[in-house]
Amino acid sequence: MANVVVVGSQWGDEGKGKIVDWLSSRADVVVRFQGGHNAGHTLVVGGEVYKLSLLPSGVVRPGKLSVIGNGVVVDPWALLAEIERIGQQGVKITPETLLIAENAALILPVHPAVDKAREALKGKAKIGTTGRGIGPAYEDKVARRAVRMCDLADAEVLKAKVEALLEYHNAQLTGLGAETLDPAEVLAQLQEVAPKVLPFMGVVWQKLDEMRRAGKRILFEGAQGAMLDVDQGTYPYVTSSNTIAAQAATGSGMGPGALGQILGITKAYTTRVGSGPFPTELTDEIGELLGARGKEFGVVTGRKRRCGWFDAVLVRQSVKVNGITAIALTKLDVLDELDELRICVGYKYKGEVIQHLPALARAQEEVEPVYEVHEGWKSSTYGARSWADLPAQAIKYVKRIEELIEAPVGLLSTSPERDDTILVRDPFED
Ligand code: IMP
């Protein structure tokens, strides 16, 4: 029996929420392994809409264990607010249903302060971050000065760490012309929050090992997408974590052999939120139409997403760097009204056609997409539940995508509703 890793294969917002929810109904454990509350997953279960940022999607399903792994950066206040918010929707979260790694690094109030102050100074060159302090928190982790979950349990260590951390960041905030933070105040805030989050803390690697040995099904829930990966993405316009599948091992404390199938969630066109290169971006009325039909607004920040044609070069790159074994293709119905569609099959760069997105930022801005044109199907695919429900041109489009990206479609999602899915291969059974 396989475990399953779900990752985004583009720039995030591929519609992971619905697929993860469907898979989590069949899993025993759902694990977040990177990112923080910059992620936004929308789940529609029984007509009720849940918007999650930090909590694994399994929390809305009774009887599942949800795990926040060591690779996640945890804002304890955002965590409690989310627990409270979904508690009001009738979902009760207890230490029996949520486990947070003792070695996860924390996001403290100083991190969003630094994040926002830096972005404000960058002007046009800004990354367009979510302002949640994700980048600065990961920097502290790698610089070996982060406050971690386990530090909340030791008053003496916590005090020393907070003082050292703020000494470092206050110098930076002063340089950025922003307000500094008072270490005593931050410490008091942490002391207040500690008893509320510590009951969720535990030894994640050990628990996961136990569950694996007991034959439980583990679902690893990625956030963002491969092109936002700090190594493989459109650097520096990326998030500060590894978003690709291999991180599921590093960010949870399981060996890579435990990962199983790797499902890449892939939108039938492309979107991106925030700044950075986007070769197939459409700034015309077709881009507007995709945004409107696809309701392309960020879950976390409410920002309008940039929209463009499907980029097979970029998704194939993503298939390779993730080791994607199948994709789940989402939002095909958004394309229903188009007369014709385009798929990017190469990039023109310095007079040649290339088959990868180069690492050089300037090259990423300069590449020109080479398109293949497809006839539109001009009929509804919304809610289709079998291949037979799809128009021939739509099937042709999907088959061409499979061929170009060198990965099969394992699932096709045709509306936000859970049952509107065409299942080709069950990743848990593969
Ligand atoms: P950060 O993760 O807040 O540092 O933002 C860095 C970049 O990642 C920005 O372009 C954000 O818009 C993007 N980003 C972060 N989280 C998400 C997400 O969940 N979906 C899509 N883009 C995201």
Side-chain angles (χ1 to χ4, degrees):
M1 188 182 352
N3 295 324
V4 177
V5 183
V6 168
V7 285
S9 73
Q10 293 150 317
W11 278 289
D13 309 315
E14 295 92 352
K16 287 187 278 307
K18 170 182 157 175
I19 311 286
V20 166
D21 171 50
W22 180 78
L23 288 168
S24 69
S25 68
R26 322 190 57 241
D28 301 296
V29 196
V30 184
V31 184
R32 277 281 308 264
F33 54 86
Q34 50 72 227
H37 63 310
N38 51 348
H41 291 173
T42 307
L43 309 178
V44 185
V45 183
E48 182 84 16
V49 179
Y50 301 94
K51 290 192 185 289
L52 301 176
S53 285
L54 181 58
L55 292 170
S57 297
V59 293
V60 301
R61 305 208 156 265
K64 315 281 173 193
L65 177 67
S66 293
V67 173
I68 295 182
N70 57 277
V72 176
V73 279
V74 180
D75 179 323
W77 298 277
L79 174 80
L80 293 174
E82 200 169 313
I83 290 177
E84 161 88 30
R85 186 157 48 75
I86 75 156
Q88 284 165 1
Q89 290 185 273
V91 177
K92 194 166 159 23
I93 294 183
T94 67
E96 280 68 51
T97 58
L98 175 68
L99 181 67
I100 307 177
E102 54 176 4
N103 48 348
L106 298 185
I107 299 183
L108 303 189
V110 72
H111 295 125
V114 170
D115 194 354
K116 287 178 198 151
R118 280 190 196 151
E119 285 278 275
L121 272 191
K122 276 193 179 141
K124 273 182 88 177
K126 70 175 189 227
I127 306 286
T129 71
T130 57
R132 300 282 158 104
I134 305 292
Y138 276 117
E139 286 169 34
D140 280 350
K141 172 177 170 171
V142 177
R144 297 166 291 199
R145 58 174 170 257
V147 175
R148 306 198 298 173
M149 275 296 285
C150 51
D151 299 322
L152 292 176
D154 186 324
E156 220 172 290
V157 168
L158 187 64
K159 182 169 186 289
K161 280 194 139 184
V162 168
E163 283 170 359
L165 193 75
L166 285 186
E167 193 177 300
Y168 173 83
H169 281 300
N170 279 340
Q172 198 188 169
L173 283 169
T174 306
L176 291 167
E179 262 182 57
T180 57
L181 280 91
D182 176 6
E185 214 171 290
V186 174
L187 189 62
Q189 290 170 344
L190 280 169
Q191 281 161 343
E192 197 266 328
V193 87
K196 298 180 189 160
V197 294
L198 279 173
F200 297 105
M201 184 174 84
V203 186
V204 161
W205 67 265
Q206 200 170 49
K207 183 74 185 169
L208 290 179
D209 182 55
E210 241 173 62
M211 302 213 65
R212 179 160 94 107
R213 281 187 291 117
K216 304 289 185 195
R217 288 176 162 184
I218 306 173
L219 175 67
F220 297 91
E221 178 182 8
Q224 292 89 41
M227 289 300 136
L228 289 170
D229 181 277
V230 69
D231 285 281
Q232 302 293 351
T234 46
Y235 190 90
Y237 296 100
V238 292
T239 191
S240 297
S241 64
N242 283 112
T243 57
I244 57 171
Q247 175 66 16
T250 322
S252 69
M254 291 202 94
L259 300 187
Q261 297 301 314
I262 297 169
L263 187 67
I265 315 297
T266 306
K267 209 182 273 191
Y269 50 101
T270 315
T271 62
R272 166 161 213 173
V273 60
S275 328
F278 182 171
T280 61
E281 182 168 14
L282 289 165
T283 50
D284 58 4
E285 67 280 9
I286 299 182
E288 287 294 320
L289 179 112
L290 295 178
R293 282 186 60 93
K295 301 191 179 61
E296 298 294 355
F297 293 91
V299 174
V300 172
T301 59
R303 287 181 291 176
K304 196 170 168 181
R305 297 177 187 142
R306 301 153 65 194
C307 298
W309 295 120
F310 187 82
D311 188 338
V313 179
L314 186 130
V315 175
R316 184 174 54 232
Q317 192 158 325
S318 179
V319 164
K320 305 298 176 186
V321 300
N322 277 293
I324 286 171
T325 49
I327 65 162
L329 193 66
T330 63
K331 297 183 111 170
L332 186 68
D333 60 284
V334 172
L335 306 173
D336 283 352
E337 279 179 13
L338 295 172
D339 294 323
E340 68 173 34
L341 297 96
R342 287 167 186 238
I343 299 179
C344 171
V345 294
Y347 298 132
K348 220 181 273 165
Y349 180 59
K350 290 194 186 298
E352 277 177 49
V353 176
I354 56 171
Q355 288 297 328
H356 73 288
L357 188 63
L360 185 70
R362 188 200 286 267
Q364 292 179 356
E365 291 289 357
E366 285 177 7
V367 294
E368 278 177 49
V370 178
Y371 286 121
E372 193 177 83
V373 180
H374 289 253
E375 203 184 307
W377 44 90
K378 305 277 287 177
S379 57
S380 178
T381 59
Y382 190 88
R385 292 184 183 186
S386 79
W387 289 104
D389 295 339
L390 293 179
Q393 284 303 332
I395 296 178
K396 221 168 136 191
Y397 181 74
V398 175
K399 291 286 163 201
R400 183 64 181 142
I401 285 177
E402 281 185 320
E403 195 172 67
L404 288 165
I405 66 169
E406 296 175 20
V409 171
L411 269 153
L412 193 81
S413 155
T414 55
S415 95
E417 285 301 321
R418 207 148 80 85
D419 295 333
D420 292 343
T421 302
I422 301 173
L423 178 64
V424 186
R425 295 153 57 132
D426 180 342
F428 275 119
E429 301 297 342
D430 259 355

